[in-house]
Amino acid sequence: MLKLLRSWLRAGVFEGGVVSEVEAGTPQASPISPLLANIVLHVLDEAWEHEGRRVGVLVRYADDLVVLCPTRARAEQARARVEATLAPLGLWLHPDKTRTADLRHGAEGFDFLGFHHRMVESRKKRGRWWLNKWPSPRAMTSIRGKIRDRTAPSRVGWDLGVVVEDLNPVLRGWGTYFRQGNSSAKFGAIDAYVHERMARLASRKHALSGANWSDRFTWDWFGDLGIYRLTGTVRYPAAHA
């Protein structure tokens, strides 16, 4: 296994028909990066299991991590402990991506694995707060960009059914990932955006002008196209005693 990993690291990067040598690290978004991160950061997991649990709860996925602490002082201790563990490995926390957030009463939130996490007050039991999560601003920008590309004016000559076939897998994949959370409002916003983009594309296709696209191409028309709808697909995790 070590020989295989060493070969991967020395293989270089093939891009545009050219192979470039890699002196250190792994390419961005490389499929091997999560595996290497888990191998290297196993040291952090072990250190936390023995010494860090008194400070806070470590949640790590590959090279992304969050430490949940009861106080700001504990959070600062956790940061110092992580930095001390990573330093002998030649690693450090990214200064622009590392911060301490105060979650109390929804004062601040944090982004982790594409979700924005924030405390939200219960509507039924005022004074009680629960940690909610929904697609982060970056995730929303990303899916809007993919929708925009697939409904661009350059596709005005395409049959709308073909546009839908190209768009549905993107919506279904994105929705499947983000449906585990409190994503209803964000899902509704994306459905509305898809409706607008498809209606504008249809307007161009039929040489119709004006801003009343919502009157010409209603939600019923939108539903008849067979576009995958995100609304109603949110799944809340089962409660455990």
Side-chain angles (χ1 to χ4, degrees):
M1 178 60 72
L2 292 177
K3 184 178 180 180
L4 179 59
L5 291 173
R6 189 178 299 110
S7 299
W8 269 333
L9 290 172
R10 293 175 177 174
V13 178
F14 182 77
E15 185 176 7
V18 179
V19 178
S20 302
E21 297 295 331
V22 177
E23 296 182 1
T26 59
Q28 183 71 21
S30 168
I32 196 179
S33 294
L35 172 61
L36 294 175
N38 283 331
I39 293 173
V40 174
L41 294 180
H42 183 67
V43 174
L44 176 62
D45 296 338
E46 289 187 324
W48 209 266
E49 183 69 22
H50 291 94
E51 302 174 0
R53 298 177 65 181
R54 293 177 289 110
V55 178
V57 177
L58 172 68
V59 181
R60 184 181 68 80
Y61 183 86
D63 60 348
D64 291 324
L65 62 90
V66 172
V67 182
L68 305 175
C69 305
T71 65
R72 179 171 290 273
R74 289 277 187 89
E76 296 301 332
Q77 292 177 27
R79 179 169 182 165
R81 189 175 293 276
V82 171
E83 290 176 335
T85 305
L86 297 181
L89 303 174
L91 302 174
W92 59 90
L93 297 175
H94 196 295
D96 298 330
K97 298 181 180 180
T98 305
R99 67 186 184 92
T100 301
D102 185 356
L103 302 185
R104 292 172 297 181
H105 299 156
E108 295 180 273
F110 66 92
D111 294 344
F112 185 55
L113 302 181
F115 283 93
H116 180 73
H117 299 73
R118 186 178 291 266
M119 298 294 288
V120 175
E121 188 175 14
S122 172
R123 295 180 180 179
K124 296 182 179 180
K125 298 181 180 180
R126 310 307 292 182
R128 299 192 67 174
W129 296 76
W130 307 95
L131 184 64
N132 283 201
K133 63 178 183 179
W134 52 82
S136 68
R138 182 176 178 181
M140 294 291 286
T141 299
S142 175
I143 189 62
R144 283 194 173 99
K146 293 177 180 179
I147 295 167
R148 187 168 55 251
D149 291 343
R150 286 163 175 77
T151 56
S154 60
R155 297 193 171 188
V156 70
W158 290 31
D159 183 86
L160 291 182
V162 177
V163 175
V164 171
E165 289 178 1
D166 185 44
L167 187 58
N168 273 350
V170 175
L171 295 173
R172 186 177 290 106
W174 189 85
T176 299
Y177 180 79
F178 286 106
R179 71 180 182 178
Q180 303 293 338
N182 311 87
S183 304
S184 295
K186 300 299 183 182
F187 277 16
I190 294 303
D191 279 344
Y193 184 67
V194 174
H195 181 199
E196 177 184 351
R197 294 293 302 182
M198 290 299 298
R200 290 185 180 277
L201 183 63
S203 294
R204 292 189 180 94
K205 188 176 185 66
H206 298 290
L208 300 174
S209 60
N212 59 333
W213 57 264
S214 59
D215 296 328
R216 292 194 297 264
F217 302 102
T218 64
W219 280 101
D220 289 336
W221 168 85
F222 181 69
D224 291 340
L225 286 176
I227 293 178
Y228 181 79
R229 295 282 298 275
L230 295 170
T231 299
T233 62
V234 173
R235 297 290 182 268
Y236 296 97
H240 296 281

